[in-house]
């Protein structure tokens, strides 16, 4: 795909991508299944630069770090990319605006890779159910037997 022409002509691309085709998600998900829906829309911003708006949506099975149970995470991510002609036109990291993502237009050759990156960036670092919503909290069995360390209590000096 020619990203610059796509953006300048106001192109629109939408589709679905199977999670099973995203190897970087393998260790991040409870199951390696599901579908990611995406929409890529080209435009020209107020400064006359070609941009792409990328939206990804999916319901992904994650592992809750509080209860270690499965939780379905609703991923809704929107990103805007400013396209530049080549790698030499990319801004210096120290001068780059943190709110604007600049990428080389030729990076758009691999749409599944871009969608996979967006999904990885949209996942929480430590996914957890809302407070009090964990259903499978680990419960430790309680015995009514006296603790074997209770004998040590008698050895304490007054």
């Amino acid at each position: 795909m020619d990203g610059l022409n796509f953006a300048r002509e106001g192109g629109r691309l939408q589709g679905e991508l199977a999670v099973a085709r995203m190897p970087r998600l393998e260790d991040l998900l409870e199951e390696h299944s599901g579908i990611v829906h995406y929409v890529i829309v080209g435009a020209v911003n107020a400064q006359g630069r070609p941009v792409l708006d990328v939206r990804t949506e999916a319901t992904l099975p994650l592992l809750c770090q509080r209860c270690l149970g499965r939780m379905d995470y609703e991923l809704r991510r929107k990103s805007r990319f400013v396209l530049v002609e080549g790698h030499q036109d990319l801004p210096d990291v120290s001068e780059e605006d943190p709110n604007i993502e600049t990428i080389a237009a030729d990076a758009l050759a691999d749409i599944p890779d871009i969608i996979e990156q967006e999904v990885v960036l949209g996942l929480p670092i430590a996914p957890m159910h809302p407070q009090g919503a964990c259903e499978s909290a680990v419960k430790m069995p309680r015995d009514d037997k006296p603790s074997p360390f209770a004998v040590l209590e008698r050895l304490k000096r007054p």
Side-chain angles (χ1 to χ4, degrees):
M1 174 167 101
D2 181 355
L4 293 172
N5 284 337
F6 182 82
R8 288 179 185 133
E9 294 172 4
R12 179 180 173 89
L13 176 67
Q14 67 183 47
E16 299 177 340
L17 191 60
V19 172
R21 292 189 52 203
M22 300 180 186
R24 285 178 277 184
L25 295 179
E26 194 167 320
D27 294 337
L28 302 174
L29 302 178
E30 176 69 8
E31 297 175 3
H32 205 60
S33 63
I35 299 289
V36 176
H37 302 274
Y38 66 88
V39 177
I40 301 173
V41 178
V44 176
N45 68 9
Q47 292 78 29
R49 298 177 74 188
V51 296
L52 291 181
D53 291 316
V54 179
R55 189 177 73 225
T56 52
E57 296 181 355
T59 301
L60 301 170
L62 301 180
L63 184 66
C64 173
Q65 297 302 299
R66 184 177 291 132
C67 68
L68 300 179
R70 177 193 165 119
M71 64 175 276
D72 289 331
Y73 179 74
E74 295 294 325
L75 174 77
R76 305 272 181 265
R77 182 168 169 85
K78 293 180 184 178
S79 299
R80 174 167 270 201
F81 298 100
V82 176
L83 301 176
V84 294
E85 294 277 346
H87 292 286
Q88 69 276 7
D89 295 330
L90 290 171
D92 187 79
V93 175
S94 62
E95 299 170 1
E96 190 173 24
D97 183 345
N99 298 321
I100 298 174
E101 182 75 30
T102 306
I103 62 172
D106 59 357
L108 296 174
D110 192 0
I111 297 295
D113 184 58
I114 290 173
I115 301 306
E116 183 178 18
Q117 288 177 39
E118 287 298 294
V119 172
V120 169
L121 291 171
L123 293 177
I125 293 171
M128 288 185 273
H129 289 109
Q131 186 70 33
C134 290
E135 296 176 16
S136 61
V138 177
K139 305 236 188 283
M140 299 302 287
R142 291 213 162 245
D143 287 336
D144 291 333
K145 298 177 189 176
S147 169
F149 299 104
V151 175
L152 298 174
E153 184 71 30
R154 290 184 278 152
L155 300 175
K156 282 177 124 180
R157 292 186 187 159

